[in-house]
Amino acid sequence: GAGVSQSPSNKVTEKGKDVELRCDPISGHTALYWYRQSLGQGLEFLIYFQGNSAPDKSGLPSDRFSAERTGGSVSTLTIQRTQQEDSAVYLCASSLGGTTGEQYFGPGTRLTVT
Amino acid sequence: GENVEQHPSTLSVQEGDSAVIKCTYSDSASNYFPWYKQELGKRPQLIIDIRSNVGEKKDQRIAVTLNKTAKHFSLHITETQPEDSAVYFCAAKLTGGGNKLTFGTGTQLKVEL
């Protein structure tokens, strides 16, 4: 079946502009996660959605970052007034939720802020 | 919250040798420990995982061990091959923390011919 997909694959934006990144999880997966991976770095947790519960936003680095998950499926990560330090690969993952741990990652969106 | 430390950051081995990557975690309430492999330019993929009620798990050339008392777990790759070259990430999940994973900073493994 189809895996996690993300769009766009690459995004170049000017400092100060807003960007939206999209994630389509695997059908039936109730949990969805956003991570940020800077060059040569690990995976930094941003936000986590589980079913209809309130999202865990504890990893969002500033109030310029927000995310939504509509209808329990597609998610959008929005970064307002982008800064150069926002440049990174943004990875989305989904899982079945419950106690099943395996997260399936999307290909990521490479964001470059000039 | 949980904190995961991973060592070494880079590891170079000769083909056929074994490779060991170690991680420590801070929260004794963590109960699930996966390992992900990320090849250059690709997405992370799960290669093996272990739950807190098990001390060791093997899958062909890959094994993971867990020491709950010491709060550390390790990835062991035997008979390494060039295709094992990648970045490996460990992670930990807190009991009751949903399925949120805290990742280590990664180990760049290079298998030399």
Side-chain angles (χ1 to χ4, degrees), chain A residues 33 37 45 48 98 103 105, chain B residues 36 38 43 46 99-101:
Chain A
Y33 318 78
Q37 187 172 32
F45 167 78
Y48 159 51
Q103 296 184 17
F105 283 84
Chain B
Y36 283 80
Q38 186 176 29
R43 69 190 79 186
L46 179 74
N99 282 323
K100 185 175 76 174
L101 293 174

Side-chain angles (χ1 to χ4, degrees), chain A residues 60-109:
Chain A
L60 295 178
S62 78
D63 59 8
R64 297 187 295 104
F65 288 72
S66 63
E68 292 185 342
R69 189 178 185 192
T70 54
S73 182
V74 172
S75 177
T76 302
L77 177 70
T78 301
I79 309 173
Q80 296 178 311
R81 304 180 303 281
T82 52
Q83 304 294 313
Q84 288 187 331
E85 58 263 30
D86 298 335
S87 296
V89 175
Y90 289 82
L91 288 161
C92 173
S94 70
S95 73
L96 283 171
T99 58
T100 302
E102 181 171 3
Q103 296 184 17
Y104 295 82
F105 283 84
T109 293

Side-chain angles (χ1 to χ4, degrees), chain B residues 30-105:
Chain B
S30 289
N31 66 349
Y32 173 68
F33 308 91
W35 286 87
Y36 283 80
K37 175 183 180 182
Q38 186 176 29
E39 296 178 34
L40 187 63
K42 298 192 175 179
R43 69 190 79 186
Q45 292 194 306
L46 179 74
I47 55 170
I48 195 168
D49 56 13
I50 191 168
R51 299 189 184 274
S52 57
N53 59 347
V54 176
E56 183 176 4
K57 183 177 178 180
K58 287 185 179 180
D59 182 2
Q60 300 182 343
R61 296 186 298 108
I62 294 173
V64 58
T65 58
L66 171 65
N67 184 326
K68 289 171 57 181
T69 302
K71 291 188 286 188
H72 66 70
F73 56 113
S74 300
L75 177 71
H76 304 252
I77 306 174
T78 58
E79 301 172 26
T80 52
Q81 301 169 3
E83 53 264 38
D84 295 330
S85 297
V87 178
Y88 291 81
F89 293 98
C90 63
K93 180 178 85 71
L94 278 173
T95 303
N99 282 323
K100 185 175 76 174
L101 293 174
T102 300
F103 283 86
T105 50

